[in-house]
Amino acid sequence: MLLALAVIGVVYAALSPETGRAEATVSASVKDVTEGKRLFDQSCASCHGLNAEGTKTGPSLIGVGAAAVDFQVGTGRMPAANPGAQMPRKRPVFDDQQTKALAAYVASLGGGPAIPSKEQVDPATGDAALGQSLFITNCAQCHNFAGGGGALTGGKKAPDLHETTPSHIYSAMITGPQAMPVFNDTTVTPEQKRAIIAYIVETREEPNPGGFGLDRLGPVSEGLVGWVVGLGLIVAAAVWITAKQREND
Amino acid sequence: MTTPPTPKALGGVGTYIDDRFHSARFAGVNLRKVFPNHWSFMLGEIALYSFIIILLSGTFLTFWFNPSMHEVVYDGSYTKLHGVTMSQAYESTLRISFDVRGGLLMRQVHHWAALIFIAAMFVHMLRVFFTGAFRKPRELNWLIGATLLILGFVEGLLGYSLPDDLLSGMGLRIAEGVLLSIPVVGTYLMFFLFGGEFPGHDIIPRFFTLHVLLIPGIMLALVVAHFMILWHQKHTQYPGKGKKESNVIGTPMYPAFAVKAGAFFFFVFGVTALLGAFAQINPVWLYGPFTPAAISSGSQPDFYMGWLEGSLRVFPAWEINAFGYTLALSVLIPALGIPGLVFTPLIIWPFLEQWVTGDKRQHHVVDRPRNAPVRTAFGMSGVTLYGLLWLAGANDVISERLDVPLYGTTWFFRFALILGPIIAFIVTKRICLGLQRRDAAAASHGYESGIIKQLPSGEFIEVHQLLTEDAETVAVAKKEVPALAAAVDGDGVPSPGSRSMMGRVRSRLHNFVVKDDIPVGEPHGNGHGDGHGGRPELGEAEAEERKELRH
């Protein structure tokens, strides 16, 4: 019975207009959903409930969509080792196939945003210049101008974007994981999302023309280097040439 | 040593110049000018040399920089920003970075040299402060130095604003907010500076004029004045053998010091160039052009303004709303009150200290920091306050990198900013007094030699040896703070000066300075019999060695 419902869910999710773009879900087979259900029962149900309806320790997953699962599980944030203010990124517990299965199962429970297609997140086709202006108005206040990440209140932080895959960036924007707001398709259109991805990927891949990038942290690391390396070396030179000097020459 | 005859060609040039400028006497005196040999006297030179580097690299940058807010669409070599609308100021900064040959190197040299310049002014000022080198007759040069430091801050802030990237714009936004927080005139001042609403089109060209003309002009004049006064008043020197108030012991200007200073210039230049070549600073292309709607986390000013950033970040959000007006105490106090709290003592310190101690003597031999415990302790609490504010300015980076909660850092700094300076004062003063006691003990009893000797009676003693002449001079170098004129004269009549409120404050403060005084230890010579032998052999060998070096 439950299985039948799940299959109907998948079919609905694949056909419903809001997730119509998601080819990934279309391929989700009954086998995936069954496998996903098995993994869910093993690793997720203790916090999210046996039917993903949510418990005191974990939110309901009905309607969060495949994209949310792909992001949370694919970046290793879920399953969480230790529920805290924020789940840290870590080595994923599940492989791609298992993640897809879990995503298919969760999507079957109530639809929601689908995993974006390759084309939707292709940095090569995005407009990085447009992405730049979108990034500094929407993302930089938490993730920093170069995607280096930053501190948030309440023990949370915005992670750096150095490793995040284009697909996960897209999923994060449409699902708003943890402290991040949702940037739905009316706020930031899919084309603009691709532009942002293009900007992030191009920025992190471009070399630092000025030498060592000092972690692209801005004036804090620059000031540290200025004092420790700059002034440090010069004062060492002052000590050295004074010590080498013959007295009353 | 016999002087070799002057080569004919040189002699001819020399005579030609001398016939016209009568410069032989002047040069003769000044080329023999003596510079003390201690590395800490080179700290001010770092500032001087980096200032020269800033002037030269900055001149290079003006050849291409276009201080205009006129909007253009970018189509230069940095393809990622193709098609982005930006001001000409930002566009020309990108052009300098990517299209002008050597432009990025010059930009980075200019910026690194600016950081080193202000850092060097800091350490130079700390040296002068902690050794009491600002005392009479050098108070005015201290004032010039303090002015230079403040102008350095302003000049740096102006330069930081010019590229019109996202980071500069955020700095300007804070400047705007600070101006607006000033009661009554704030709004007018803001409109006057920006030529209308923020950001407007006037601010960049205005800052450019201030940055390349007015402020550096004033600074250059003050640097010259600073240097001429130094030249005229001569250097101070650390206490030591043969060093008196009436002499300066060190290296003559020509040839040795000229070589040393010349070499040092190249060290400063070399380090700056290395940083400019290998360490990226202010990557404006990553920040993107400024738009008032955008902001980045981890936005900090350059290090010297970090303390003001910190005071703004940790100050509680206080404001008063009355009669339809808002008094933004949360900006006014940290952005204008705190600098006043730091700069005022900095500027008036030499005069304040002179007034409290009543010390109007000329000082050419400097204090060891331990010998002026109250000054040193006060200085350390200032350094602590500054350092904590500075760290607070980077609280989001600290929180992010060290995984501590952001609000935790705010509360930590709120308490630390009040308690830290007090603890620093007490601890420093105690350390100074302890060191003074050690000096006094060493001067009167000699130092512990580590040699254990058994007396005929069977008693074991540790042999104390007298200090070398040089070490002894240093150990007894402390000068007592003169006593104030007695508050009550012989006939019991209170002196008019001490009766007023200021007089009472003064005698309280004077008492605070002198109450923990440790008497200077007098060497006893051989007075204690055994164990207090003559000068140690090692010392003699060392003295011999030094003598040889001098040949």
Side-chain angles (χ1 to χ4, degrees):
Chain A
M1 173 64 188
L2 196 70
L3 204 64
L5 269 178
V7 175
I8 291 168
V10 172
V11 173
Y12 171 77
L15 296 180
S16 69
E18 61 193 304
T19 52
R21 281 183 271 93
E23 290 105 84
T25 357
V26 176
S27 68
S29 62
V30 181
K31 199 172 147 255
D32 269 352
V33 176
T34 325
E35 169 71 356
K37 166 73 178 152
R38 195 181 62 79
L39 293 170
F40 185 88
D41 287 348
Q42 262 176 20
S43 306
C44 319
S46 57
C47 296
H48 292 291
L50 277 171
N51 299 309
E53 75 280 17
T55 67
K56 270 183 220 154
T57 42
S60 159
L61 299 184
I62 294 165
V64 298
V69 178
D70 186 49
F71 177 84
Q72 301 281 1
V73 178
T75 59
R77 287 178 167 80
M78 288 290 156
N82 181 20
Q86 185 168 352
M87 309 307 162
R89 177 165 49 197
K90 56 184 188 295
R91 257 175 71 94
V93 174
F94 297 115
D95 62 23
D96 278 356
Q97 198 50 49
Q98 291 168 318
T99 309
K100 287 264 160 22
L102 270 172
Y105 170 67
V106 171
S108 75
L109 298 174
I115 301 169
S117 67
K118 276 220 164 59
E119 186 208 339
Q120 272 177 299
V121 300
D122 185 10
T125 53
D127 177 359
L130 171 67
Q132 194 275 333
S133 57
L134 287 164
F135 187 85
I136 61 169
T137 37
N138 291 299
C139 319
Q141 64 264 52
C142 300
H143 289 287
N144 154 315
F145 63 96
L152 300 173
T153 56
K156 295 176 183 170
K157 56 181 182 178
D160 70 65
L161 306 175
H162 300 327
E163 308 287 326
T164 322
T165 62
S167 171
H168 287 152
I169 296 173
Y170 195 101
S171 296
M173 284 190 275
I174 50 176
T175 61
Q178 310 197 10
M180 184 162 158
V182 174
F183 295 91
N184 65 28
D185 285 354
T186 42
T187 318
V188 177
T189 66
E191 198 198 330
Q192 290 175 329
K193 288 194 173 85
R194 192 163 56 187
I196 291 175
I197 291 168
Y199 175 76
I200 293 171
V201 172
E202 215 172 297
T203 301
R204 70 188 181 196
E205 280 173 2
E206 78 185 29
N208 289 312
F212 297 112
L214 312 184
D215 229 7
R216 294 184 176 176
L217 254 185
V220 174
S221 54
E222 292 163 5
L224 195 66
V225 170
W227 272 89
V228 176
V229 180
L231 200 69
L233 281 177
I234 294 170
V235 170
V239 174
W240 182 61
I241 59 176
T242 308
K244 285 283 160 191
Q245 190 184 11
R246 286 176 295 176
E247 227 177 282
N248 306 331
D249 214 351
Chain B
M1 198 174 86
T2 53
T3 320
T6 318
K8 214 172 178 184
L10 271 184
V13 174
T15 314
Y16 183 89
I17 294 171
D18 196 37
D19 285 349
R20 277 145 193 88
F21 299 107
H22 306 292
S23 53
R25 237 183 72 123
F26 176 82
V29 170
N30 284 292
L31 288 178
R32 285 200 304 275
K33 184 162 188 66
V34 166
F35 289 80
N37 297 326
H38 192 277
W39 63 268
S40 67
F41 287 101
M42 313 286 281
L43 297 176
E45 278 174 54
I46 304 174
L48 178 69
Y49 299 149
S50 45
F51 186 63
I52 294 169
I53 296 167
I54 296 172
L55 287 181
L56 294 177
S57 55
T59 307
F60 179 92
L61 295 178
T62 58
F63 295 164
W64 287 278
F65 181 67
N66 183 357
S68 158
M69 297 282 262
H70 183 72
E71 282 206 336
V72 289
V73 175
Y74 184 70
D75 65 345
S77 299
Y78 188 64
T79 50
K80 198 174 78 178
L81 293 182
H82 266 185
V84 173
T85 312
M86 55 182 68
S87 68
Q88 279 184 333
Y90 184 64
E91 194 260 344
S92 58
T93 312
L94 289 180
R95 187 146 47 92
I96 290 171
S97 306
F98 294 110
D99 299 283
V100 174
R101 198 176 294 274
L104 181 59
L105 178 68
M106 280 296 190
R107 252 197 70 220
Q108 299 204 134
V109 163
H110 189 68
H111 206 136
W112 282 119
L115 294 193
I116 292 172
F117 172 58
I118 297 183
M121 283 202 283
F122 266 111
V123 288
H124 173 59
M125 183 190 76
L126 291 178
R127 194 271 294 172
V128 169
F129 181 84
F130 283 118
T131 62
F134 56 80
R135 289 173 300 172
K136 189 177 171 184
R138 295 181 177 78
E139 308 98 315
L140 294 180
N141 233 12
W142 170 267
L143 274 189
I144 293 178
T147 313
L148 276 169
L149 182 71
I150 296 169
L151 284 176
F153 287 2
V154 175
E155 179 70 349
L157 178 75
L158 295 173
Y160 175 91
S161 306
L162 287 181
D164 199 27
D165 62 321
L166 186 58
L167 196 60
S168 336
M170 289 184 282
L172 280 178
R173 192 56 142 176
I174 295 178
E176 183 218 8
V178 171
L179 280 178
L180 284 175
S181 78
I182 302 171
V184 187
V185 293
T187 321
Y188 299 95
L189 281 180
M190 195 288 272
F191 269 72
F192 176 67
L193 180 67
F194 285 84
E197 282 284 358
F198 178 87
H201 281 85
D202 294 342
I203 192 71
I204 298 283
R206 286 180 183 182
F207 271 21
F208 181 71
T209 309
L210 297 176
H211 181 76
V212 305
L213 183 71
L214 183 68
I215 310 272
I218 298 172
M219 288 182 83
L220 193 59
L222 288 177
V223 167
V224 171
H226 198 69
F227 205 67
M228 282 171 73
I229 292 174
L230 159 84
W231 199 273
H232 180 71
Q233 292 181 331
K234 304 185 178 62
H235 270 80
T236 52
Q237 56 188 344
Y238 286 105
K241 189 176 141 192
K243 299 190 177 161
K244 292 182 267 188
E245 293 288 353
S246 54
N247 68 5
V248 186
I249 293 183
T251 310
M253 169 80 181
Y254 183 84
F257 187 76
V259 172
K260 182 182 176 185
F264 194 52
F265 173 78
F266 288 112
F267 270 115
V268 175
F269 187 59
V271 169
T272 315
L274 275 178
L275 280 174
F278 292 112
Q280 180 165 290
I281 188 164
N282 196 16
V284 285
W285 54 92
L286 291 178
Y287 286 100
F290 176 62
T291 56
I295 193 160
S296 165
S297 73
S299 292
Q300 263 83 16
D302 278 337
F303 85 81
Y304 39 87
M305 297 301 264
W307 62 296
L308 292 175
E309 175 85 14
S311 72
L312 273 169
R313 285 185 183 204
V314 302
F315 202 80
W318 293 344
E319 62 178 41
I320 297 173
N321 285 294
F323 310 112
Y325 295 97
T326 300
L327 191 59
L329 296 178
S330 56
V331 180
L332 189 63
I333 297 176
L336 293 168
I338 299 282
L341 192 73
V342 171
F343 285 139
T344 312
L346 180 80
I347 290 168
I348 66 165
W349 183 267
F351 308 96
L352 185 71
E353 185 181 306
Q354 204 175 79
W355 178 69
V356 170
T357 59
D359 186 353
K360 303 235 189 286
R361 295 169 294 185
Q362 298 252 344
H363 293 281
H364 299 289
V365 175
V366 296
D367 274 336
R368 303 172 81 205
R370 67 187 65 176
N371 289 339
V374 172
R375 178 204 299 144
T376 305
F378 189 85
M380 281 314 290
S381 58
V383 169
T384 309
L385 178 73
Y386 184 93
L388 285 168
L389 282 171
W390 185 9
L391 279 175
N395 71 341
D396 58 338
V397 176
I398 293 172
S399 159
E400 204 255 329
R401 295 278 144 161
L402 304 182
D403 267 325
V404 288
L406 186 65
Y407 284 176
T409 66
T410 307
W411 278 104
F412 169 78
F413 283 117
R414 283 177 183 172
F415 282 101
L417 281 167
I418 294 166
L419 298 177
I422 297 172
I423 295 170
F425 188 94
I426 296 168
V427 170
T428 311
K429 194 174 166 196
R430 288 297 132 189
I431 292 174
C432 287
L433 293 174
L435 288 170
Q436 277 193 39
R437 283 201 186 90
R438 196 175 74 178
D439 281 348
S444 51
H445 299 291
Y447 67 92
E448 296 169 358
S449 62
I451 301 166
I452 306 293
K453 197 168 168 184
Q454 189 178 21
L455 297 181
S457 61
E459 183 194 356
F460 285 97
I461 59 158
E462 184 179 5
V463 179
H464 278 65
Q465 285 183 327
L466 280 192
L467 298 174
T468 61
E469 203 182 328
D470 195 37
E472 189 187 299
T473 325
V474 174
V476 299
K478 188 185 154 195
K479 278 195 199 162
E480 302 294 344
V481 174
L484 283 183
V488 180
D489 71 7
D491 301 325
V493 180
S495 79
S498 64
R499 256 182 324 186
S500 65
M501 201 180 66
M502 288 307 274
R504 284 205 298 274
V505 170
R506 185 182 178 198
S507 39
R508 285 257 171 85
L509 288 173
H510 187 270
N511 185 40
F512 182 69
V513 171
V514 300
K515 69 176 179 191
D516 296 317
D517 237 2
I518 310 277
V520 180
E522 290 296 333
H524 291 200
N526 207 357
H528 283 232
D530 249 6
H532 283 68
R535 296 199 177 283
E537 280 182 21
L538 188 80
E540 269 166 35
E542 212 178 349
E544 208 44 49
E545 205 179 326
R546 280 189 194 177
K547 213 186 262 175
E548 262 164 38
L549 273 178
R550 232 169 275 154
H551 288 301

